[in-house]
Every structure is written in structure tokens, then in C-alpha cells.
Amino acid sequence: MDFKKIVQERRSIKYFDANHKMTKDEVNELFKMTVLSPTAFNIQHWRFDVIENRELREEIKKISFNQSQVTDASLLVVISGDLDAWKKNPKKYWKNADENVQKMMESMITDFYINKKEMQRDEVMRSCSMAAMTMMLCAKNMGYDSCPMDGFDFPELSKLLQFPKNQIPVMFVAIGKKLQDAWPRGGQLNLNQVVNFRE
């Protein structure tokens, strides 16, 4: 599909065909593309929980305002982020670079994040959000629709999925075959309201 068309036609879909299953090859391809998303210092803070267990999906639905996407989408991905990824052997994020670059990046990463809790959290949110957008655009290119979701109880989800303290949920992405089109776009702001050219 033409990329411009993918961007124009990607919409947040609320109702999915609960009988449709994605193949393992399709899911693998989706994640291969998703993890090519950018992250600061190549830290790759994201973690992806693919919820396949039907009972667990029902439990998640209960803490997600009973939204049908949770149980009916072919794929439910819980995207979370590791707040401590920056300090877990940071040299590994540059393992394909030469030793001097690895040491330099390790030092830069540590200096940039140490004692900066807000920055650590902000980077997780940015990285996970970029990955989610890549995932949704790739899904559209594969003939699937998607819905980013943050309508759920974040602390309860962390308990339900037994996330460690340093891992925080960011959003869900539900992917599948739509049953209904999205509503017409609510109205985009004019470019001159959101784009500021500074000469």
C-alpha cells in the first residue's frame, strides 16, 4: 500500500472480528518491523506482552471499561517500558559498534539518565509511543486495523500481569479485522494552529 494512503486510512477501530486469527508469520513480521522504531541511545525500553490467554483477556477487559477490543481483536499487545533499561549493561545496545564507541555510549547513557527519574520515565513513554505507531502503520500495510488504548486501570494491569516495579504499562494496541468503520474524523486543527515556522 502507498505510505500516504496508509497514514490517511489508519483509524482507531473499536469493533473487531473475534473469529479472525492472525498467522504466526504475520505476528512475527509485525514485531520485526516494530522493533526497528527509534529510541534514545538505542536503549529499546519497550516490552511487548502478547495476550493470547482468553481468560486473561477477559480479566483485562474488566479493568478496561469492558471495551470489546480487548477480547475481540486478533492480537492484543500490552506495551510497557523498562524504567531501568538505561542501566542494565548499556554497552549491549551498541554491541555491533567497535569497543571505543561502546565505552563512549555506555558513559553517555549513564551520565544522561542517572538521578533523573522524570527523564527516565519520559524516555520510556517516547520509545513505547513510537513503537506503537510503527506497529499500527505496519498492521495497516498488512491489511489489518488497530486501536491504541489507554482506557484501563494502570495499577491493576501491573498487578494482573505481575510487572516488576521498574516496568510500567504505557498502552495497549489491539489489531485485527474491523467489523465497523471508524466514525468520520472529528476535525483536524488547521496547520497554522499547530505548525509554527520560526524564521
Side-chain angles (χ1 to χ4, degrees), residues 27-41:
V27 175
N28 285 339
E29 182 66 17
L30 187 69
F31 281 107
K32 282 181 185 176
M33 296 297 103
T34 297
V35 298
L36 297 178
S37 303
T39 58
F41 296 104

Side-chain angles (χ1 to χ4, degrees), residues 65-121:
F65 306 102
N66 289 310
Q67 295 180 83
S68 64
Q69 306 97 301
V70 173
T71 51
D72 294 353
S74 302
L75 197 66
L76 179 68
V77 182
V78 175
I79 304 179
S80 60
D82 183 353
L83 293 169
D84 293 340
W86 64 274
K87 61 183 176 182
K88 294 177 177 176
N89 184 24
K91 199 157 66 167
K92 71 185 174 192
Y93 305 121
W94 292 88
K95 64 184 179 183
N96 296 329
D98 67 47
E99 187 68 23
N100 289 332
V101 172
Q102 289 181 41
K103 287 178 181 176
M104 179 186 70
M105 294 307 297
E106 182 178 25
S107 175
M108 288 175 65
I109 289 168
T110 301
D111 292 346
F112 192 77
Y113 292 107
I114 196 165
N115 298 322
K116 298 175 185 171
K117 294 290 185 188
E118 188 173 327
M119 176 64 77
Q120 294 164 20
R121 182 181 174 88

Side-chain angles (χ1 to χ4, degrees), residues 83-192:
L83 293 169
D84 293 340
W86 64 274
K87 61 183 176 182
K88 294 177 177 176
N89 184 24
K91 199 157 66 167
K92 71 185 174 192
Y93 305 121
W94 292 88
K95 64 184 179 183
N96 296 329
D98 67 47
E99 187 68 23
N100 289 332
V101 172
Q102 289 181 41
K103 287 178 181 176
M104 179 186 70
M105 294 307 297
E106 182 178 25
S107 175
M108 288 175 65
I109 289 168
T110 301
D111 292 346
F112 192 77
Y113 292 107
I114 196 165
N115 298 322
K116 298 175 185 171
K117 294 290 185 188
E118 188 173 327
M119 176 64 77
Q120 294 164 20
R121 182 181 174 88
D122 287 351
E123 292 285 39
V124 160
M125 293 298 173
R126 281 189 278 269
S127 295
C128 291
S129 297
M130 287 189 283
M133 193 71 245
T134 300
M135 182 180 292
M136 290 185 287
L137 293 173
C138 287
K140 189 65 186 173
N141 188 55
M142 294 167 69
Y144 289 104
D145 286 285
S146 61
C147 186
M149 302 175 65
D150 62 2
F152 57 90
D153 187 319
F154 284 68
E156 284 302 314
L157 180 79
S158 292
K159 288 181 195 172
L160 193 58
L161 298 185
Q162 300 179 332
F163 283 165
K165 186 179 179 182
N166 66 297
Q167 188 171 343
I168 58 170
V170 176
M171 69 176 73
F172 302 162
V173 175
I175 297 170
K177 290 289 185 182
K178 68 180 178 183
L179 288 179
Q180 295 181 26
D181 288 335
W183 289 353
R185 289 190 184 274
Q188 302 303 117
L189 295 174
N190 292 329
L191 290 182
N192 62 13

